Amino acid sequence: MTYDVIVIGLGGMGSAAAYHLAARGQRVLGLEKFTPAHDKGSSHGGSRIIRQSYFEDPAYVPLLLRAYELWDRLALDSAREVYRMTGGVFIGPPDSLTVAGSLRASRQWDLPHEVLEDAEIRSRFPNFTPNPGDVALFEAKAGFARPELTVQAHLDLAEKAGATLRFGHEVLEWSETSGGVTVRTAEGTFTAGQVVICPGAWAPQLLAEFGIPITVERQVLYWLDPVGGTAPFVDHPIFIDENDAGAQIYGFPAIDGPRGGVKVAFFRKGVECSPDTIDRTVHDHEIREMRERVADLLPALDGPCLHSATCMYANTPDQHFVIARHPESANVTVACGFSGHGFKFVPVVGEILADLATTGATAHPISLFDPRRLVTTT
Ligand SMILES: Cc1cc2nc3c(=O)[nH]c(=O)nc-3n(C[C@H](O)[C@H](O)[C@H](O)COP(=O)(O)OP(=O)(O)OC[C@H]3O[C@@H](n4cnc5c(N)ncnc54)[C@H](O)[C@@H]3O)c2cc1C
């Protein structure tokens, strides 16, 4: 059996690509080294922030507008709560990236938002004790996605649309042939016209020849037990807080019941690792550091750590994604380097990858993600 497209890696991006390709009538083979919606890559831990007032760069906003349409459609088609709107509060000094950057994107794209002074933050969201002089941008259209449910929803819909999905199939090698690609696994060799490679933290191995400089970073997620119980955190916005030193933390409402705690994490505070060497143990000093940071911002949250997990970012030097047809190869499409902020884009990345693999182009604005910006040729 030969396929139109082989998708390598069925995590966040690959599962969405497999679905969008199969829905367009492509004969799809998806190959994944682990199990469906596993916890060994970058797409686990129960929740991911979604927001539109994008402080990273306003150029992402059109993609987010389309992603939100597709989040809605995915929720309907899969009959699962793959995302929930809670509102989002982005707190920091007025000139911080979190506040000034979010405001810039909101104004440029005319996104509904409110700016709150420190006293207003305290009165509307009494769990927060921001520093005097801090401000917040409040965005009603922010919330969280459920990563494992999302991956599973895309996998199920892909299969329903006719895709063949193989788990426990590690790709050992892929290469181009005159008419397409050959992909080798321990279980067999497969051929197709096109390959879409979505390797997450395994990009340095699977895409070595591309020369895209990706570093993998260990991140920790903490579920803290609020001192007065989870009730005040149930009807609560997602949040990002930036301190005077420019360090950001983020967190979620209590979404896993009275014993589930409240999830918080540092944004971009990790050590370099590789999928083979990552330290999966969360150490006491790390928990202490998180509780100290939380004690300033959300004193009610400064209770014991119920549970923790590690996860990997796959970072490019400028923290923008890589999404492209291979510049020299018409049969190869890649999506990698999501740099710790890719999940909210999962459905639209699936759509873009389906465009690129079937037509070689996309109407979505993706010039920011061109790998040639990162590859130095000699
Ligand atoms: C702690 C943490 C918090 C985050 N928070 C947010 C957030 O709030 N909002 C947000 O938008 N984003 C967030 N992100 C980022 C987002 O989750 C990632 O950008 C996204 O999940 C990346 O998806 P991916 O498909 O590239 O990687 P993955 O989902 O890891 O998928 C890659 C897949 O490829 C498979 N694979 C690799 N090598 C092979 C091989 N040789 N053969 C077969 N299969 C292979 C892997 O097993 C894996 O399943 C966060 C990430 C982390 C780690």
Side-chain angles (χ1 to χ4, degrees):
M1 164 81 179
T2 186
Y3 296 90
D4 295 319
V5 188
I6 294 176
V7 178
I8 301 178
L10 296 175
M13 307 303 164
S15 60
Y19 164 60
H20 280 273
L21 284 159
R24 293 181 195 188
Q26 296 286 302
R27 289 169 302 165
V28 174
L29 172 66
L31 297 172
E32 164 59 50
K33 67 190 276 184
F34 296 118
T35 51
H38 64 84
D39 63 358
K40 296 177 182 64
S42 304
S43 299
H44 59 280
S47 52
R48 290 289 185 271
I49 286 182
I50 58 175
R51 58 194 158 89
Q52 295 187 334
S53 59
Y54 221 58
F55 59 74
E56 286 85 345
D57 195 314
Y60 287 85
V61 175
L63 295 174
L64 287 162
L65 297 174
R66 177 61 180 154
Y68 271 46
E69 291 175 2
L70 293 172
W71 279 115
D72 269 346
R73 199 195 290 173
L74 183 64
L76 274 177
D77 290 349
S78 68
R80 287 187 167 104
E81 194 190 26
V82 288
Y83 79 93
R84 193 187 300 170
M85 286 301 165
T86 60
V89 193
F90 312 126
I91 308 171
D95 60 352
S96 60
L97 174 67
T98 305
V99 172
S102 302
L103 202 52
R104 178 165 79 121
S106 293
R107 287 189 175 142
Q108 186 169 323
W109 290 97
D110 214 9
L111 303 173
H113 67 279
E114 294 170 65
V115 177
L116 310 177
E117 304 295 326
D118 52 2
E120 289 172 284
I121 304 172
R122 288 166 193 262
S123 62
R124 272 184 61 181
F125 304 105
N127 287 329
F128 291 111
T129 54
N131 293 326
D134 274 3
V135 296
L137 182 138
F138 175 75
E139 180 178 38
K141 281 183 111 177
F144 63 90
R146 291 284 205 177
E148 294 88 346
L149 273 186
T150 301
V151 172
Q152 195 60 60
H154 275 136
L155 295 175
D156 291 350
L157 290 171
E159 274 192 318
K160 221 166 132 188
T164 303
L165 307 179
R166 294 280 176 261
F167 297 90
H169 278 52
E170 179 178 9
V171 171
L172 304 171
E173 201 175 58
W174 60 272
S175 57
E176 284 194 84
T177 55
S178 52
V181 291
T182 297
V183 175
R184 190 169 68 81
T185 71
E187 288 70 27
T189 297
F190 305 94
T191 57
Q194 293 281 324
V195 67
V196 175
I197 307 176
C198 305
W202 288 263
Q205 286 96 314
L206 267 179
L207 298 174
E209 69 181 51
F210 278 64
I212 301 168
I214 287 180
T215 49
V216 178
E217 203 183 328
R218 170 185 178 272
Q219 302 292 327
V220 181
L221 301 165
Y222 306 83
W223 284 260
L224 301 182
D225 195 12
V227 281
T230 48
F233 288 90
V234 171
D235 184 16
H236 197 269
I238 58 102
F239 61 91
I240 302 175
D241 175 78
E242 182 172 335
N243 67 12
D244 290 337
Q248 292 165 305
I249 62 166
Y250 62 92
F252 298 83
I255 56 180
D256 296 316
R259 307 241 151 269
V262 171
K263 189 175 109 176
V264 284
F266 288 104
F267 190 38
R268 302 193 192 293
K269 183 180 188 306
V271 291
E272 201 173 321
C273 69
S274 84
D276 300 325
T277 62
I278 179 172
D279 177 6
R280 295 280 185 190
T281 305
V282 176
H283 302 276
D284 288 346
H285 71 89
E286 294 180 297
I287 294 172
R288 264 199 309 277
E289 199 183 351
M290 178 45 99
R291 286 190 55 182
E292 277 165 22
R293 181 73 159 80
V294 158
D296 286 341
L297 178 70
L298 291 149
L301 189 51
D302 181 22
C305 184
L306 295 171
H307 169 57
S308 56
T310 57
C311 178
M312 292 179 284
Y313 287 178
N315 296 329
T316 61
D318 60 8
Q319 290 160 356
H320 295 308
F321 311 155
V322 170
I323 306 176
R325 259 283 173 93
H326 187 298
E328 276 130 44
S329 161
N331 306 319
V332 183
T333 300
V334 296
C336 61
F338 287 93
S339 304
H341 63 118
F343 207 85
K344 59 186 82 60
F345 298 90
V346 154
V348 71
V349 171
E351 182 168 78
I352 293 167
L353 293 174
D355 290 346
L356 294 176
T358 53
T359 70
T362 180
H364 288 295
I366 60 163
S367 57
L368 189 60
F369 311 140
D370 189 329
R372 286 170 296 191
R373 76 188 192 279
L374 302 171
V375 180
T376 43
T377 45
T378 48

